[in-house]
Amino acid sequence: MSRFHVGGKVVERVDLLRKRHWAWRFDVWPFAIIYVVWLTIILPSIDIGDAAIVLGGLLATHILFWLFTAWSVDFKCFVQYSKVNDIHHADACKITPAKFSGSKEVVPLHFRKLPAGSSSAADLEEIYFDFRKQCFIYSKEKETFCKLIYPTKETIGHYLKSTGHGSETKVVAATEKWGRNVWVTIDIVLCVLLVEYLWLFDYPQPTFRKLMKEHCMEPFFVFQVFCVGLWCLDEYWYYSLFTLFMLFMFESTMAKSRLKTLTELRRVRVDAQTLMTYRCGKWIKLSGTDLLPGDVVSIGRSTGQDGEDKSVPADMLILAGSAIVNEAILTGESTPQWKVSIGGRGIEEKLSTKRDKGHILFGGTKILQHTPDKTFPLKTPDGGCIAVVLRTGFETSQGKLMRTILFSTERVTANSWESGLFILFLVIFAVIAAGYVLKKGLEDPTRSKYKLLLSCSLIITSVIPPELPMELSIAVNTSLIALARRGIFCTEPFRIPFAGKVDICCFDKTGTLTSDDMEFRGVGGLTGTMDLESDMSKVPLRTVEILASCHALVFVDNKLVGDPLEKAALKGIDWGYRSDEKAMPKKGSGNAVQIVQRHHFASHLKRMAVIVRIQEEFFAFVKGAPETIQDRLIDVPSSYVETYKRYTRQGSRVLSLAFKSLPDMTVSEARSLDRDIVETGLTFAGFAVFNCPIRADSASVLSELKGSSHDVVMITGDQALTACHVASQVHIISKPALILGPARSSDGYGWISPDETENLSYSAKEVEALSETYDLCIGGDCIEMLQQTFAVLRVIPYVKVFARVAPEQKELIMTTFKMVGRLTLMCGDGTNDVGALKQAHVGVALLNAVPPSQGGKSSSETSKDESTKSAKSKKSKPALEASGKAMVINGEGTSKGKGTSRLDTANVPAGNRHLTAAEIQRQKLKKLMDEMNEESDGRSAPVVKLGDASMASPFTAKHASVAPTLDIIRQGRSTLVTTLQMFKILGLNCLATAYVLSVMYLDGVKLGDVQATISGVFTAAFFLFISHARPRPTLSAERPHPNVFCSYVLLSLMGQFAIHLCFLISAVNEAEKHMPEECIEPDSNFHPNLVNTVSYMVNMMLQVATFAVNYMGHPFNQSISENKPFLYALLGAVGFFTIITSDLFRDLNDWLKLVPLPVGLRDKLLLWAFLMFLCCYSWERFLRWAFPGKIPAWKKRQRIATANLEKKKHV
C-alpha cells in the first residue's frame, strides 16, 4: 500500500517513497543523453550560431527542470523518488497536509528499535515520521499513521496512582518516544516570511546573503528575471534594468524584514525552570526542558532572578494542592483561574482536557499562588503542588498556539486558486496571439526565426504579470498592518478575504455584548412573593451567608481576584472576605463563615457548591442555574418558576441559592464528601439577581452589521428569557420572539413567547415559514432533541438566539451554519467559545485587555481619523498615553492583580523597574506603534507574538468591545475589492499588451526603450497607490463580489477590452493614413515614426483609463478623490500625456522618440480618448448596477442538505 489516508487536523494523507540513485534521477540521465545528441549530431550539422541557440535552450530547460524540483513537491517526488508499496522499502514519505495547514513536504521515514521491555509492538520496531513538530507512528492495526499518543485520556484513578518513571530504562524509553521538552530547530512559514533556525536556546541566525539567495530561487522571481532577459534580447535595456532594479529592491526589503522577524522570534523560549521531579523512587532536581509525559513533579510559584514569574513548562494535571493561574497568554482571560486537584473526581472517570481544564496547568501560563495538600501520601520536599506531566513540547497548549501561528497557512495571498485560473484564462488569449504571429511569420521566408521565436515568447510571458504575487501579498498585508494598529492580531492571514464574504455574525453574550462589570440588584423569591429585596438587613442570614461564601474568589498578592459577578455579590451584601478563606460581615456582629471545601463551577453541571463551617456546624451552600437547582430542592416554592422568569425577562442574570445542613463530622470527612451528596436534598434560599449592563457600543455595532447585509445571531450559555431581552436591546431580535421548549399540554415541544401569551405547536418542517413572522430562540436541551430527531439542519439555520448552550453545542451550531453554505463570523471570549471560534470562517477572540482607542470611540468613528495623515500623527501620541493608562486601570478594574500585570512587563529591562505600570505600558505601546510604522510598507505581514495571539481563534482583539468585528469585516471587504480590481486591471493591461506585441508587431510597430520604461514607472506607481487605499469608515449595505469568476468581472473585462481594441485600431489606422509611403520592416530596429508615436500615446491613455475606471472606491474603499496619492498619480499621468500630445516641450518628445502629430490627428486622438473613457466608465457603472453583490442563496443549499440527510436516514 503506497498511500495512507490519515484524515487528521494536520495531515490528510501520506505517500511512501524511495529515493532514486542520483544517476537514475529524471533530471540527470535524460539530459545527459540530450547533451550527447547535441554534441554528436546537432553541432556538426548546423551553423555554430544556431547550435549555440539550441544549447542555450537546452541549458535553460535543464535549469528550469532543476528549479521545478525546488518549487513543486510533487515534481520533486516524480524526479528524485519512486513510489513503493512496502513500507519497509520506503525511506521517505510525501505529506499532504489538511486544508490551510501549509504546503506539501517530503520528510524522512524513520525506523526505530524499541527497548526490550516495551509492549508497543510485537516485533519491537517502530516506524514513524516527524511533520510540523508532530510525530506520526505507523499502526499495524489501523494500517495507517496515527499521531503520537500522549497520556491524556486515562482514568482519574490511573493518574492518582502515578509515581513517575520508576527506572532509568523507563526514562530512556520515554525520552526516545516523546523527546525532550524543547522547541528545536525548524523551518517554518510565518505569514509571508520563511523563518529558519528557530527555537534552540542558541541558534545561528541566517545571513542577509543566504536569505536573498532563497528569495531569488522563488518561481515568480525567476520568471521575472527570465522576462527581463527576453526584453534585453529585444534591446529594451532601460526598461529591463529598471524592472530588475525594482525586483531586487523589493526582494532585499523582504529579506531585511525576515531578519527582523527572526530577531523578534528569538525572544520566545521555553523557561529553563528547575523542578523537583519524582523519578526512580526519589525526588531529584530537573530542568523543565528534561520533563517527560508521566513525570510526577512538585510545582508552585517560581520567580527568576529578575523577579518575573516563570511559566509552567508543560501541560500538567494537579494530583494534590491547588493553584491560581494567569492564563492570559493563551486565552486572553484577564481573570486568574483557580486550578484544583483531580482527587475529588470518580476514579473510573476518564480525563477530558476540554471538560477538566479546571484541574490542568497549561504550558506557558504562570502560577500566581499555590497551596500544597499536606494530606497526600506523596510528600514534596519544597511545598509545591503535586502534578503529573501530560504533554510536552509542541503538544502543550502553548506549543499548539505556536504551531497555529507558524504552520496554519501557506504564502499570504488572496484567492490563490483564482489567480491560477485567471492566468490560465489570459494565457489562452496569449497562445492564440502567439500562434497568429508564428503562422504569419512562417509565411514570410525572409523573417528571422530567432526574432520570431523571441516575439512569441514575449507575447506568452506578457500575459503573466510579474507583479501579480507582489500585489496580492500587498492587498492582504496592508489589511494585516491596519488591523494590528488597532490592536487586532491575525494568526491565519488567509482568513482576511473570508471576512469580506461573511454573511452571518454570531456573538456570545456575557462579557462580549454585555459588560463584565455586574451590578447586584438584590434577592427575590423569599417570602412567596415575586418582589425583589435590596435591603440586605431584611434578607435571611442564611441567604446572605451563601452569597458571602459560595464563590471562587481568592487573594493574589493581597488583592481579591475572581469572577466579577461574585465580587459584585460580596460588595452588595457588604461582607468582607479574608485570605484565610473566611467571610465576615463588615458591620454588625454576624458569625464568620469558614470555607472548608469548594466544588468549582462546571459548564456541563451549571452549578457550584461549597462546604462551610459556621461556629461548629457544617453546611452545604449551592448556587447555579434556576432550572438546574430546581431538580435538587426538597420543596420547590409555588412561585419558583414565575419569579426567576420575571427577572430573566428583564434581562437580569438570576442564580438560584440553596443550602442544607450536614451532620457532625471532621474537616477531613467534610472534604471527602462526594459532590452528588453535597448537591442534593437542598432547601431553597432565594434568587440572587444581577444586572449585566450592555456595552455602550454593542447596539450600534450590531445595528451597523445588520444594515450592511449581515444576519446577526446570539449564542450564549445564559437563560433563554435573559438572552431574548438582551437580543432585543442590541437589535438581534426585531420581530416577536418565540422560545422552543417542552409543551405544557403534551409530551412534545412547543413555541412559547417570552410573556407566555402565545403558544404554537412545534414542527420541524414549519420552522422556515415560522421564521418569516417570528424571531426564534432555542435552548441547549432542545438542541439535543434536534440531534435525536435529525432536525438540526431544518431548525438551526433559522434561529436567532441560542440560549443555555454548552461549548460543544456552540461548535455544532457553527458547523451547521457552514453546512448550509453560510460564511460565519463568531465573536466571543477566549475560554468557553474556543470550539466555535475555531469552527467559524472568521473567529474573533476578545481579550478584554485594552479599551477601544481614542477614548472609547467606535471603530467607525476612529477610522475617520485615519483619513488624514497629519491628524493621525498629531493624535497618536496622546491616544497611546490614554490607552496605556486605561490598560492599567482596566487591568485593576477587572481584578487582574499584580500577578497578572507582571506578565505585561516581561520584556521590560531590569533597569526600568522603578517605572510605574502606566509608564511601562506607555513605553510598550509606543514601541509597538514604532515597529508597525517601520513595517508599514505593506509588503510584509506584522509579526504575531505569543502575547498578541490567543489559542482560541485566528483573530485576537485587545478590546473590551465588539467593535473589532466591524474593523475585520471592513478590511476583509477592502481586500476582496482590491484583489478584484487588480485582477481586472492586470487582465486588461495584459490583453492589450498581447495585441500590441502580436498584430501590431507584425506591422513593424514597436515601443521605444525609454517609452516602455516610463510606462512601467506609471504602472508601478498606480498599483502601489491603489493597494494602499483605506476602507470606508462605515460598512455599506452593498456587498462585494466574492469571486473573480462571475458575470460582472467577465463582462466588464470583455466589454472594456473591446472598447480599447476599437480605439487602438482606429488610432493606428488614422496614423497610417498620414504616412502611406513609409515601409516598416517587421524585424528592424526601433526608429520613431507616426504610427509608433500614436500607438504609445494610445497605450498611455488606455493605461490611465483602465486604472481610473476599474478603481473600486465607494462604498468599500476611499474614492479616487480621497485616495490622494492615487489621484495625484492619475493627474500626473494625464498631465504628462497632455504635454507630450500637445508637443509643448520638443526636447522631451525627442528624448521619448516621439514625432510631431498633425493637428487634425491630435484633435481626433483627444476626442476619441475622451469617448473611450466615457464608454468604459458607463459600461463599468452599468455592470455594477446590474450585478450587485448579494448574500449567498443559502436556503436552497439548506434544503438540498436536508433532503440528502433524509435519504441517508431512510437508507
Side-chain angles (χ1 to χ4, degrees):
M1 188 174 179
S2 63
R3 174 171 288 183
F4 299 100
H5 287 274
V6 179
K9 291 182 179 179
V10 178
V11 175
E12 179 62 34
R13 63 178 181 269
V14 178
D15 293 293
L16 297 179
L17 304 170
R18 184 173 182 82
K19 199 170 182 71
R20 300 178 194 270
H21 185 272
W22 69 269
W24 298 111
R25 285 169 31 169
F26 288 141
D27 58 350
V28 177
W29 68 264
F31 285 95
I33 294 170
I34 293 170
Y35 289 133
V36 170
V37 169
W38 177 84
L39 192 63
T40 57
I41 298 173
I42 298 175
L43 184 60
S45 59
I46 62 173
D47 181 68
I48 188 74
D50 291 340
I53 291 173
V54 173
L55 181 63
L58 287 176
L59 287 170
T61 308
H62 198 172
I63 291 168
L64 198 62
F65 208 82
W66 175 73
L67 284 169
F68 262 105
T69 61
W71 297 337
S72 168
V73 172
D74 289 325
F75 192 75
K76 179 181 180 179
C77 293
F78 169 72
V79 170
Q80 299 179 4
Y81 295 86
S82 58
K83 286 190 176 183
V84 292
N85 290 322
D86 188 345
I87 195 168
H88 291 89
H89 294 159
D91 56 13
C93 43
K94 181 180 77 174
I95 312 299
T96 304
K99 196 176 182 184
F100 299 130
S101 293
S103 52
K104 296 176 183 177
E105 279 185 33
V106 175
V107 297
L109 194 64
H110 302 287
F111 296 82
R112 174 169 65 192
K113 293 291 180 185
L114 295 174
S118 173
S119 58
S120 300
D123 57 355
L124 302 179
E125 184 184 52
E126 191 172 70
I127 305 169
Y128 69 98
F129 65 83
D130 291 307
F131 177 71
R132 301 277 153 85
K133 304 319 301 169
Q134 286 185 299
C135 181
F136 292 83
I137 299 171
Y138 180 67
S139 167
K140 283 192 173 180
E141 294 78 24
K142 297 180 181 177
E143 293 189 336
T144 188
F145 285 91
C146 302
K147 205 166 75 168
L148 176 62
I149 296 170
Y150 282 75
T152 57
K153 295 181 181 178
E154 307 295 336
T155 61
I156 304 298
H158 170 85
Y159 294 113
L160 291 171
K161 292 175 187 174
S162 294
T163 55
H165 298 291
S167 66
E168 284 299 328
T169 308
K170 288 185 177 179
V171 171
V172 170
T175 307
E176 283 191 6
K177 183 175 182 179
W178 289 298
R180 294 179 70 231
N181 184 29
V182 292
W183 297 343
V184 295
T185 305
I186 50 176
D187 294 333
I188 56 174
V189 177
L190 172 55
C191 301
V192 292
L193 309 172
L194 179 65
V195 184
E196 294 184 328
Y197 306 116
L198 181 62
W199 273 311
L200 266 179
F201 291 104
D202 293 297
Y203 52 86
Q205 186 165 340
T207 61
F208 177 80
R209 182 180 172 183
K210 180 177 172 62
L211 294 179
M212 271 301 290
K213 182 183 173 184
E214 287 171 6
H215 277 267
C216 294
M217 287 275 289
E218 289 180 0
F220 266 97
F221 185 85
V222 173
F223 172 74
Q224 287 163 328
V225 172
F226 175 69
C227 291
V228 166
L230 291 178
W231 286 110
C232 285
L233 292 174
D234 207 26
E235 298 172 2
Y236 285 92
W237 295 104
Y238 287 126
Y239 180 65
S240 303
L241 290 172
F242 165 74
T243 308
L244 205 59
F245 172 74
M246 291 295 288
L247 287 176
F248 276 101
M249 281 292 291
F250 176 75
E251 297 300 340
S252 61
T253 52
M254 287 287 286
K256 180 187 172 188
S257 178
R258 285 174 56 191
L259 283 174
K260 185 175 181 182
T261 304
L262 279 170
T263 308
E264 287 290 335
L265 292 174
R266 287 182 72 174
R267 300 174 188 171
V268 183
R269 297 175 179 179
V270 177
D271 279 345
Q273 184 177 352
T274 302
L275 298 176
M276 294 303 294
T277 309
Y278 195 73
R279 277 191 186 174
C280 305
K282 60 182 179 182
W283 289 100
I284 59 169
K285 281 189 176 181
L286 203 66
S287 169
T289 57
D290 292 322
L291 288 180
L292 295 166
D295 269 330
V296 172
V297 299
S298 171
I299 189 161
R301 184 175 186 178
S302 174
T303 54
Q305 292 179 350
D306 56 358
E308 290 300 322
D309 287 323
K310 288 194 173 183
S311 302
V312 176
D315 287 357
M316 305 175 182
L317 177 68
I318 301 178
L319 303 181
S322 62
I324 312 299
V325 182
N326 177 11
E327 293 187 340
I329 198 166
L330 293 185
T331 65
E333 179 60 54
S334 57
T335 304
Q337 304 296 301
W338 197 326
K339 305 288 182 173
V340 297
S341 161
I342 198 77
R345 300 288 296 279
I347 59 172
E348 294 302 318
E349 283 187 64
K350 285 205 168 186
L351 181 71
S352 164
T353 50
K354 279 187 179 179
R355 184 194 64 211
D356 301 322
K357 60 187 179 183
H359 307 290
I360 297 172
L361 299 171
F362 293 106
T365 60
K366 299 191 177 184
I367 296 176
L368 307 177
Q369 184 173 297
H370 72 278
T371 308
D373 182 357
K374 294 175 183 176
T375 63
F376 197 72
L378 188 63
K379 307 298 180 186
T380 61
D382 58 355
C385 298
I386 296 177
V388 60
V389 177
L390 299 177
R391 296 179 295 210
T392 56
F394 269 94
E395 286 300 321
T396 63
S397 296
Q398 188 176 16
K400 284 180 180 176
L401 174 57
M402 288 313 300
R403 275 211 320 270
T404 303
I405 293 172
L406 304 175
F407 303 127
S408 63
T409 181
E410 299 173 46
R411 189 178 179 89
V412 179
T413 57
N415 303 331
S416 55
W417 67 272
E418 289 190 333
S419 310
L421 285 175
F422 189 76
I423 287 171
L424 190 65
F425 170 72
L426 296 178
V427 164
I428 292 168
F429 283 88
V431 169
I432 293 169
Y436 176 74
V437 169
L438 191 64
K439 178 177 176 291
K440 290 288 184 182
L442 291 173
E443 288 173 0
D444 184 359
T446 61
R447 293 200 70 158
S448 164
K449 303 293 184 291
Y450 162 72
K451 286 279 188 179
L452 191 61
L453 193 65
L454 182 63
S455 300
C456 292
S457 302
L458 281 169
I459 291 165
I460 292 172
T461 56
S462 68
V463 298
I464 306 173
E467 61 268 33
L468 181 64
M470 190 189 306
E471 301 302 341
L472 294 183
S473 294
I474 288 174
V476 174
N477 291 337
T478 303
S479 291
L480 284 175
I481 290 164
L483 290 173
R485 282 177 173 158
R486 290 182 168 275
I488 305 164
F489 298 90
C490 179
T491 55
E492 300 177 6
F494 66 83
R495 293 189 186 271
I496 284 183
F498 279 122
K501 303 177 187 181
V502 162
D503 59 11
I504 184 165
C505 302
C506 308
F507 292 89
D508 179 36
K509 182 182 80 70
T510 310
T512 302
L513 293 173
T514 58
S515 170
D516 278 331
D517 301 323
M518 309 294 285
E519 298 168 2
F520 178 64
R521 288 180 62 191
V523 180
L526 292 169
T527 57
T529 66
M530 291 190 286
D531 295 332
L532 193 69
E533 184 57 70
S534 55
D535 184 355
M536 289 301 107
S537 62
K538 297 177 183 178
V539 173
L541 182 60
R542 194 65 70 227
T543 302
V544 175
E545 288 171 345
I546 295 170
L547 287 168
S549 59
C550 191
H551 56 67
L553 298 176
V554 68
F555 276 88
V556 176
D557 293 334
N558 298 318
K559 187 172 181 66
L560 190 65
V561 298
D563 190 335
L565 180 141
E566 294 174 338
K567 291 174 73 178
L570 206 60
K571 182 181 176 183
I573 60 174
D574 201 26
W575 275 51
Y577 181 67
R578 299 195 328 214
S579 56
D580 59 354
E581 298 195 332
K582 271 187 184 176
M584 297 185 71
K586 289 182 179 177
K587 298 173 185 174
S589 56
N591 295 316
V593 181
Q594 176 71 57
I595 298 172
V596 175
Q597 175 70 13
R598 281 184 172 96
H599 293 286
H600 287 266
F601 175 81
S603 57
H604 64 286
L605 298 175
K606 298 176 186 172
R607 62 180 183 272
M608 80 162 289
V610 292
I611 298 171
V612 299
R613 186 170 63 184
I614 304 172
Q615 293 178 318
E616 294 304 315
E617 283 187 87
F618 285 94
F619 292 93
F621 290 167
V622 184
K623 71 176 181 186
E627 60 269 32
T628 304
I629 302 299
Q630 182 178 356
D631 299 333
R632 296 178 171 270
L633 297 176
I634 298 169
D635 181 31
V636 180
S638 57
S639 60
Y640 184 92
V641 175
E642 287 179 38
T643 305
Y644 83 74
K645 282 189 174 180
R646 175 187 177 183
Y647 295 114
T648 52
R649 283 192 196 104
Q650 297 168 8
S652 296
R653 181 99 176 263
V654 180
L655 293 176
S656 182
L657 310 177
F659 72 97
K660 77 171 181 181
S661 296
L662 296 174
D664 288 341
M665 61 181 76
T666 62
V667 170
S668 59
E669 286 173 336
R671 284 178 176 161
S672 61
L673 278 177
D674 189 68
R675 182 166 186 166
D676 260 353
I677 295 170
V678 173
E679 295 174 344
T680 52
L682 304 172
T683 302
F684 180 63
F687 294 111
V689 182
F690 298 86
N691 256 2
C692 192
I694 296 168
R695 293 195 193 278
D697 60 351
S698 291
S700 60
V701 169
L702 268 68
S703 180
E704 186 171 344
L705 285 172
K706 285 189 79 173
S708 56
S709 305
H710 294 96
D711 288 334
V712 188
V713 167
M714 180 190 287
I715 307 175
T716 178
D718 217 335
Q719 216 269 347
L721 292 168
T722 305
C724 285
H725 176 81
V726 174
S728 65
Q729 299 289 305
V730 295
H731 311 299
I732 290 174
I733 286 179
S734 52
K735 293 179 279 195
L738 288 179
I739 301 167
L740 184 63
R744 293 179 179 178
S745 56
S746 63
D747 295 336
Y749 284 79
W751 296 101
I752 306 165
S753 63
D755 58 4
E756 300 185 8
T757 56
E758 281 189 82
N759 285 283
L760 299 172
S761 61
Y762 161 75
S763 169
K765 293 179 181 178
E766 295 172 3
V767 168
E768 183 180 348
L770 201 64
S771 67
E772 300 291 332
T773 318
Y774 297 94
D775 283 327
L776 307 179
C777 167
I778 64 173
D781 52 344
C782 296
I783 292 176
E784 290 177 14
M785 178 272 293
L786 295 177
Q787 287 177 283
Q788 291 163 8
T789 57
F790 301 98
V792 168
L793 282 171
R794 284 186 180 277
V795 178
I796 284 181
Y798 298 99
V799 174
K800 284 293 181 78
V801 177
F802 298 89
R804 279 281 185 258
V805 288
E808 297 78 27
Q809 290 173 326
K810 289 185 180 183
E811 206 168 334
L812 172 72
I813 292 162
M814 300 312 297
T815 53
T816 306
F817 280 137
K818 286 163 71 178
M819 280 176 70
V820 300
R822 309 219 66 174
L823 283 128
T824 54
L825 177 145
M826 175 70 197
C827 181
D829 60 53
T831 47
N832 294 328
D833 304 319
V834 175
L837 290 167
K838 281 289 184 188
Q839 280 295 335
H841 291 98
V842 179
V844 186
L846 301 181
L847 293 196
N848 295 332
V850 187
S853 59
Q854 312 249 351
K857 287 184 187 179
S858 70
S859 66
S860 59
E861 289 173 329
T862 53
S863 53
K864 291 174 186 174
D865 297 335
E866 283 187 352
S867 58
T868 312
K869 187 177 178 182
S870 60
K872 183 182 73 176
S873 61
K874 288 173 187 173
K875 292 178 183 178
S876 61
K877 191 174 179 181
L880 286 177
E881 290 177 4
S883 298
K885 290 171 187 172
M887 186 191 294
V888 177
I889 293 163
N890 190 57
E892 290 174 2
T894 56
S895 310
K896 196 172 179 182
K898 295 178 185 174
T900 47
S901 67
R902 275 204 187 103
L903 178 72
D904 298 328
T905 61
N907 294 323
V908 181
N912 291 344
R913 290 289 160 210
H914 61 280
L915 296 175
T916 65
E919 289 167 338
I920 291 167
Q921 293 289 5
R922 212 172 297 140
Q923 283 187 0
K924 279 191 68 189
L925 277 166
K926 186 175 185 298
K927 185 183 175 188
L928 170 70
M929 294 302 288
D930 289 343
E931 286 176 1
M932 286 300 154
N933 288 330
E934 284 175 24
E935 295 170 5
S936 61
D937 57 359
R939 301 170 195 162
S940 58
V943 182
V944 181
K945 305 178 188 70
L946 269 178
D948 301 327
S950 163
M951 65 184 280
S953 71
F955 291 90
T956 303
K958 292 191 171 181
H959 291 272
S961 158
V962 291
T965 56
L966 293 178
D967 292 321
I968 291 166
I969 290 173
R970 284 168 53 236
Q971 291 296 344
R973 287 185 170 188
S974 177
T975 301
L976 264 186
V977 296
T978 301
T979 305
L980 201 67
Q981 72 190 11
M982 282 180 176
F983 276 126
K984 287 174 65 183
I985 292 165
L986 289 169
L988 286 168
N989 284 347
C990 292
L991 290 173
T993 305
Y995 177 78
V996 170
L997 290 175
S998 55
V999 179
M1000 295 178 69
Y1001 196 86
L1002 286 172
D1003 295 334
V1005 177
K1006 291 179 70 175
L1007 291 182
D1009 194 2
V1010 176
Q1011 293 172 358
T1013 307
I1014 296 293
S1015 180
V1017 168
F1018 275 116
T1019 303
F1022 287 151
F1023 271 126
L1024 182 68
F1025 296 140
I1026 64 168
S1027 66
H1028 281 81
R1030 292 194 182 99
R1032 293 272 295 154
T1034 53
L1035 288 172
S1036 69
E1038 189 179 331
R1039 295 178 62 84
H1041 290 277
N1043 302 308
V1044 172
F1045 287 94
C1046 59
S1047 304
Y1048 157 69
V1049 174
L1050 294 176
L1051 286 172
S1052 176
L1053 209 60
M1054 293 296 97
Q1056 288 186 61
F1057 180 57
I1059 296 165
H1060 290 180
L1061 209 56
C1062 289
F1063 178 41
L1064 194 57
I1065 292 169
S1066 303
V1068 171
N1069 288 342
E1070 189 68 25
E1072 284 176 348
K1073 291 177 184 176
H1074 290 81
M1075 48 174 292
E1077 73 288 346
E1078 190 171 346
C1079 181
I1080 302 168
E1081 289 294 329
D1083 290 330
S1084 63
N1085 291 330
F1086 169 79
H1087 65 276
N1089 57 53
L1090 192 59
V1091 172
N1092 157 257
T1093 299
V1094 168
S1095 64
Y1096 175 66
M1097 289 178 177
V1098 168
N1099 265 323
M1100 284 287 292
M1101 296 174 196
L1102 293 178
Q1103 194 180 59
V1104 174
T1106 299
F1107 279 94
V1109 167
N1110 292 284
Y1111 179 81
M1112 302 280 280
H1114 291 183
F1116 307 112
N1117 282 338
Q1118 293 173 317
S1119 65
I1120 291 178
S1121 59
E1122 291 167 336
N1123 187 352
K1124 299 297 182 188
F1126 181 57
L1127 175 65
Y1128 296 149
L1130 277 179
L1131 292 175
V1134 171
F1136 176 77
F1137 162 71
T1138 308
I1139 287 168
I1140 61 172
T1141 308
S1142 58
D1143 206 13
L1144 287 175
F1145 301 103
R1146 186 64 251 167
D1147 290 344
L1148 174 65
N1149 283 23
D1150 287 340
W1151 179 64
L1152 290 171
K1153 303 289 194 299
L1154 300 175
V1155 300
L1157 294 178
V1159 176
L1161 180 61
R1162 184 180 64 197
D1163 294 342
K1164 272 187 183 178
L1165 215 55
L1166 289 168
L1167 179 63
W1168 287 350
F1170 177 73
L1171 288 173
M1172 176 271 299
F1173 176 79
L1174 204 62
C1175 289
C1176 287
Y1177 183 82
S1178 302
W1179 176 245
E1180 176 66 15
R1181 293 292 152 183
F1182 167 73
L1183 289 177
R1184 289 188 193 180
W1185 170 80
F1187 298 96
K1190 295 176 182 176
I1191 291 183
W1194 62 270
K1195 289 188 179 181
K1196 183 180 177 182
R1197 188 164 170 178
Q1198 181 261 344
R1199 292 187 193 109
I1200 293 168
T1202 306
N1204 291 338
L1205 190 67
E1206 288 290 331
K1207 286 178 188 175
K1208 286 180 184 177
K1209 195 167 69 172
H1210 290 310
V1211 170

